[in-house]
Amino acid sequence: NISSPICSGSRSSKTFKPKKNIPEGSHQYELLKHAEATLGSGNLRMAVMLPEGEDLNEWVAVNTVDFFNQINMLYGTITDFCTEESCPVMSAGPKYEYHWADGTNIKKPIKCSAPKYIDYLMTWVQDQLDDETLFPSKIGVPFPKNFMSVAKTILKRLFRVYAHIYHQHFDPVIQLQEEAHLNTSFKHFIFFVQEFNLIDRRELAPLQELIEKLTSKDR
């Protein structure tokens, strides 16, 4: 009875979540290209604004997928440093600890290690993004009435991965020379959630000082 690598609990044996692709040629793909082009200009405040004549739900959907992919990639580079031993709880500094619940499979919040929490979190987000009734990829298919509240929950949870990386794994980020990449990604994320008021200020508290530092230059 050979145990399969999936059951062995070793994270390094499995690659992290697959990238979620936006279908080429679709309107959402065009929106993503627009976002990338304005990001290239270096003005993040401009880059997050709703393009003229576009649907807010669709703009939030495209950017949520993009942030999922970015955080996925950033976290993927430091998974060797984020282990059951190094991070027995999911935290963002000594004052903030997160317990996992998704409301369906796990209703009562459970205390778990950071790698397990982030695995739950990213799997949960991926499931939401893959749900065509929540994130329709076909043109003309309407977004559900509760789309914004779903998007807000996704972004609130993705923020926790940034918070964990900054608080617990910033040294390896510097060693890997990813500091600028992480800061730009996070700054883009913050400008986006601020522009559309998507995350409650209380939720952002673990990184409040950093947020003020990163955003004050661009007032």
Side-chain angles (χ1 to χ4, degrees):
N1 181 11
I2 303 163
S3 72
S4 73
I6 296 162
C7 305
S8 69
S10 140
R11 286 179 53 86
S12 52
S13 66
K14 68 179 168 103
T15 50
F16 210 53
K17 301 278 157 286
K19 199 169 152 87
K20 164 106 179 131
N21 286 319
I22 289 175
E24 236 174 288
S26 69
H27 184 60
Q28 292 187 5
Y29 186 78
E30 295 308 311
L31 275 179
L32 185 63
K33 287 281 153 263
H34 169 87
E36 282 168 0
T38 45
L39 272 176
S41 73
N43 185 336
L44 287 170
R45 284 254 184 250
M46 290 288 292
V48 297
M49 287 176 183
L50 180 65
E52 210 172 320
E54 292 299 343
D55 175 53
L56 179 60
N57 283 345
E58 195 151 36
W59 182 237
V60 169
V62 166
N63 281 280
T64 300
V65 169
D66 191 35
F67 289 127
F68 170 73
N69 287 336
Q70 285 184 43
I71 295 166
N72 207 348
M73 203 171 72
L74 285 161
Y75 181 70
T77 61
I78 57 110
T79 49
D80 289 348
F81 304 95
C82 186
T83 63
E84 302 279 330
E85 294 73 42
S86 71
C87 305
V89 294
M90 173 64 178
S91 65
K95 286 196 295 204
Y96 301 97
E97 188 179 302
Y98 301 112
H99 296 177
W100 178 254
D102 58 15
T104 44
N105 300 325
I106 301 171
K107 291 195 168 73
K108 195 166 171 278
I110 57 167
K111 191 172 180 165
C112 54
S113 68
K116 193 146 200 62
Y117 184 101
I118 292 171
D119 198 22
Y120 278 135
L121 189 156
M122 295 307 244
T123 304
W124 176 83
V125 173
Q126 178 114 39
D127 289 345
Q128 310 302 302
L129 300 181
D130 287 341
D131 184 342
E132 281 288 326
T133 63
L134 283 176
F135 280 78
S137 59
K138 293 175 185 63
I139 292 191
V141 176
F143 282 84
K145 297 249 185 310
N146 66 333
F147 173 73
M148 270 304 166
S149 70
V150 172
K152 284 176 175 177
T153 304
I154 292 173
L155 293 165
K156 174 181 81 176
R157 289 177 171 172
L158 289 176
F159 168 81
R160 295 170 179 178
V161 184
Y162 279 121
H164 181 71
I165 295 173
Y166 271 112
H167 276 285
Q168 312 299 132
H169 302 295
F170 200 59
D171 286 346
V173 166
I174 291 170
Q175 282 162 22
L176 294 161
Q177 297 180 320
E178 278 183 8
E179 190 182 349
H181 182 180
L182 175 64
N183 285 344
T184 304
S185 172
F186 181 61
K187 192 169 167 180
H188 179 202
F189 178 88
I190 285 301
F191 279 179
F192 190 80
V193 299
Q194 284 178 343
E195 175 73 12
F196 303 106
N197 204 7
L198 297 167
I199 301 182
D200 197 306
R201 209 181 141 83
R202 280 190 322 249
E203 286 285 339
L204 300 174
L207 293 178
Q208 198 49 52
E209 280 176 33
L210 176 69
I211 291 168
E212 279 162 21
K213 197 170 109 187
L214 288 176
T215 57
S216 63
K217 299 188 194 79
D218 294 83
R219 293 230 188 277

